[in-house]
Amino acid sequence: MKALILAAGKGTRVMPLTQSCPKPMLRILDTPILELLIARLRDHGVNQIMINTAHHAEVIEQHFGDGRRFGVDIAYSFEGHLQDGKLVGDPIGSAGALQRIQAHSGFFDDTFMVVCGDAIIDLDITALVAAHHHHGALATLALQSVDPSLVSHYGVVALDEEGRVTQFQEKPTPEEALSNLVNTGIYVFEPAVLAHMPTELPCDLGSDVFPALAQQGEALYGVSLPMTWLDIGRREDFHRVCQLALCGEVPGMDLPGKEVAPGVRVGLNVRFNLNRCHVTGPVVIAGSATIEDGATLIGPTYIGPGAVVERGARVERSVVQAHARIGSHANLVDMVSDGRYCMVSDGTLIDLELADMPWLISDARLPRAERTAAEQRFISHMQ
Amino acid sequence: MQLNLSQEHPWLVIQPEITHLDAGNVKAFGDAMTPILQEHTHILFDMAQLEFLDSAGIGALIACLRTAKERQGDFRVCGLNRPVRTLFDLMRLHRVFEIHTNRAEALRSPAS
């Protein structure tokens, strides 16, 4: 079966995590979300995958190439242009992406999937496709029920008794919402659906196509199958999903490294003496990281590749991303840090570079700055 | 630098009319604080309007705390917004300063 993975979004709501990579390439314990998604599709017989790209397209293309290493065929539909040696994204919307690919080669010639690239799912795709055929649907949306207070983040769907979509509301207020069944960005389509799309770009499935299909009484169905659905819509979702992964609760994801003590996993070439640190699992320390003697790691915590946790630092229920240096005086609790920013699990963001505190948190690949006399005085006052 | 002062015995409450305390204005802040710290030992610093502090700004607050402590007083802080509070927690400054959510809570807490 064929599929299109939507990966052209800018990821504005998860900045600064998406400053140098597109949202589907955010790494959960060093595995890109998109890699988990492609494995899931492959396991259900999806073997020809188009990915539309825009924002940081090169990160996706360089990772997946032609897909052979991942057991599928992959090609890309780039939505952007080259300007002054840099790729600039001009996304045309999810429906626009479908139309461009179809106009290019007529790629979609049988029942196919469309999936948003920024969620981790364990959906039984085979069962979804079977339901689609059973209904004789033109388009089928995989649905999930969410807490009614959260409906304004999603497309909300009202169904009749047969599961036919009678109304589609894009991001309604909780008062306006007709149900708490929401669109998960996972669809099964017949090629004929393309004839129902407006030709004006940008054009989006959620706001331009589904509401019209529902209104016209087309065979648009919604199916709610039990599944884990972890989407990274907002900054705080990233921390939550990493925590779940560390607890072994992310479907399709094995914990990396080798278990050296109960709940403590360590990758290759890690400098770490378990007996000289305070460690409570689950903790995963990735390759080439350094945990100095006297550091404290309280799980669920992840220390990324090449990261450094200095003596005296405390890292608790947190994610230290690749190559970050956590200084001796740092006390990271419920946070994600990449060596410049710290994001709290509630979404609060602080910029340590702007705060001029390289001795607190920095990039481990930078030459270690000598502390100025003023910084030294400051640190001694803190103790 | 404009500092709004009000007396809430035994505390002198200071609310600066600035949104940033950083390398750019820390000297002016120190100059404004010096005479106050000579006259008052118990100070409550209300940071409700402060959106950003950098290393220099926090250094200046620590200097105020030290001066007050040297004179058997105290320099409490309150009204920290989420990012500033996060920075304080990240630096373990809750071990250095007595931090209160807001002015009323700080004033209720007995002076040491």
Side-chain angles (χ1 to χ4, degrees):
Chain A
M1 192 161 65
K2 294 178 178 178
L4 166 63
I5 297 178
L6 301 167
K10 202 155 181 200
T12 314
R13 286 181 301 149
V14 280
M15 283 292 231
L17 291 166
T18 43
Q19 218 160 39
S20 56
C21 85
K23 202 159 57 156
M25 292 304 282
L26 287 178
R27 289 171 174 266
I28 307 297
L29 317 190
D30 216 32
T31 300
I33 292 169
L34 190 48
E35 199 175 307
L36 297 171
L37 183 60
I38 287 172
R40 172 75 47 189
L41 289 168
R42 182 198 60 213
D43 293 346
H44 285 271
V46 177
N47 54 3
Q48 295 183 43
I49 298 174
M50 286 297 303
I51 302 177
N52 74 325
T53 57
H55 181 64
H56 293 301
E58 69 286 359
V59 180
I60 296 179
E61 298 189 16
Q62 284 162 12
H63 186 84
F64 292 101
D66 64 8
R68 271 181 298 177
R69 281 192 303 131
F70 301 90
V72 290
D73 288 324
I74 296 177
Y76 306 90
S77 178
F78 174 57
E79 298 171 4
H81 63 278
L82 192 61
Q83 189 181 322
D84 303 326
K86 279 189 173 168
L87 294 179
V88 180
D90 315 304
I92 53 175
S94 47
L98 279 168
Q99 288 172 291
R100 180 172 289 183
I101 294 164
Q102 193 68 346
H104 188 77
S105 71
F107 178 72
F108 303 109
D109 55 3
D110 199 352
T111 305
F112 65 100
M113 304 272 313
V114 176
V115 186
C116 287
D118 53 10
I120 298 171
I121 52 167
D122 66 351
L123 174 68
D124 184 345
I125 291 168
T126 307
L128 182 72
V129 175
H132 173 82
H133 287 309
H134 173 76
H135 289 133
L138 178 67
T140 299
L141 321 181
L143 306 176
Q144 274 273 287
S145 46
V146 298
D147 188 285
S149 65
L150 299 175
V151 288
S152 58
H153 299 294
Y154 303 102
V156 169
V157 168
L159 300 178
D160 70 12
E161 312 79 66
E162 271 102 54
R164 202 170 176 130
V165 178
T166 53
Q167 235 177 314
F168 188 96
Q169 305 171 292
E170 187 66 353
K171 299 180 178 154
T173 63
E175 295 74 39
E176 292 166 346
L178 297 167
S179 79
N180 67 335
L181 276 179
V182 303
N183 175 16
T184 60
I186 306 165
Y187 318 119
V188 187
F189 287 163
E190 291 305 310
V193 80
L194 281 144
H196 293 270
M197 293 185 187
T199 48
E200 208 170 297
L201 299 178
C203 179
D204 198 60
L205 290 169
S207 46
D208 303 314
V209 177
F210 296 143
L213 286 179
Q215 201 185 6
Q216 291 156 14
E218 294 293 341
L220 176 66
Y221 282 82
V223 174
S224 180
L225 293 168
M227 70 160 160
T228 306
W229 175 48
L230 305 170
D231 75 321
I232 314 277
R234 296 162 304 154
R235 213 150 51 203
E236 43 270 51
D237 294 329
F238 182 74
H239 180 268
R240 182 176 58 90
V241 173
C242 289
Q243 293 287 298
L244 289 172
L246 287 159
C247 296
E249 290 170 24
V250 166
M253 178 147 202
D254 300 322
L255 287 176
K258 189 175 150 208
E259 191 161 43
V260 295
V264 182
R265 303 183 73 90
V266 173
L268 297 184
N269 188 39
V270 168
R271 186 186 298 177
F272 168 54
N273 186 334
L274 182 61
N275 300 319
R276 292 188 180 162
C277 298
H278 311 281
V279 182
T280 309
V283 166
V284 174
I285 305 169
S288 297
T290 303
I291 311 298
E292 293 184 359
D293 292 352
T296 299
L297 306 178
I298 309 289
T301 277
Y302 176 70
I303 309 297
V308 177
V309 180
E310 293 184 350
R311 179 175 54 86
R314 180 183 181 90
V315 182
E316 184 172 344
R317 295 186 303 275
S318 292
V319 175
V320 175
Q321 292 187 285
H323 306 294
R325 176 189 294 282
I326 306 303
S328 316
H329 300 280
N331 176 47
L332 224 65
V333 180
D334 296 314
M335 286 193 202
V336 176
S337 183
D338 65 353
R340 171 172 177 176
Y341 296 97
C342 278
M343 289 179 313
V344 193
S345 55
D346 67 1
T348 303
L349 179 70
I350 55 174
D351 179 344
L352 276 305
E353 197 175 295
L354 202 62
D356 189 26
M357 293 181 188
W359 49 270
L360 191 65
I361 283 175
S362 62
D363 190 307
R365 295 165 296 187
L366 287 168
R368 205 164 168 176
E370 289 292 317
R371 286 175 186 161
T372 62
E375 281 169 358
Q376 202 57 53
R377 204 164 49 240
F378 182 133
I379 290 163
S380 68
H381 287 178
M382 274 170 39
Q383 286 159 346
Chain B
M1 178 173 294
Q2 179 68 39
L3 300 174
N4 290 324
L5 308 181
S6 56
Q7 192 74 51
E8 297 269 0
H9 188 77
W11 299 96
L12 178 73
V13 182
I14 303 181
Q15 183 161 27
E17 291 217 338
I18 46 174
T19 56
H20 287 54
L21 182 58
D22 56 24
N25 61 1
V26 74
K27 173 139 191 348
F29 175 75
D31 290 348
M33 285 302 293
T34 302
I36 297 170
L37 287 161
Q38 278 166 2
E39 225 175 286
H40 300 270
T41 53
H42 286 73
I43 291 170
L44 172 60
F45 192 67
D46 187 339
M47 297 167 67
Q49 288 184 40
L50 270 178
E51 291 162 15
F52 175 77
L53 282 103
D54 71 355
S55 159
I58 291 177
L61 297 184
I62 292 175
C64 291
L65 173 72
R66 284 180 68 82
T67 305
K69 292 269 186 198
E70 275 163 17
R71 304 184 59 212
Q72 279 70 53
D74 200 359
F75 185 91
R76 291 180 181 174
V77 295
C78 71
L80 286 67
N81 72 12
R82 274 297 292 154
V84 170
R85 177 70 209 224
T86 300
L87 190 59
F88 270 57
D89 291 344
L90 186 62
M91 299 171 74
R92 299 188 175 117
L93 287 176
H94 53 277
R95 293 191 194 168
V96 178
F97 289 96
E98 190 173 319
I99 302 173
H100 292 276
T101 312
N102 52 45
R103 198 184 287 204
E105 181 196 291
L107 293 172
R108 272 199 305 275
S109 169
S112 50

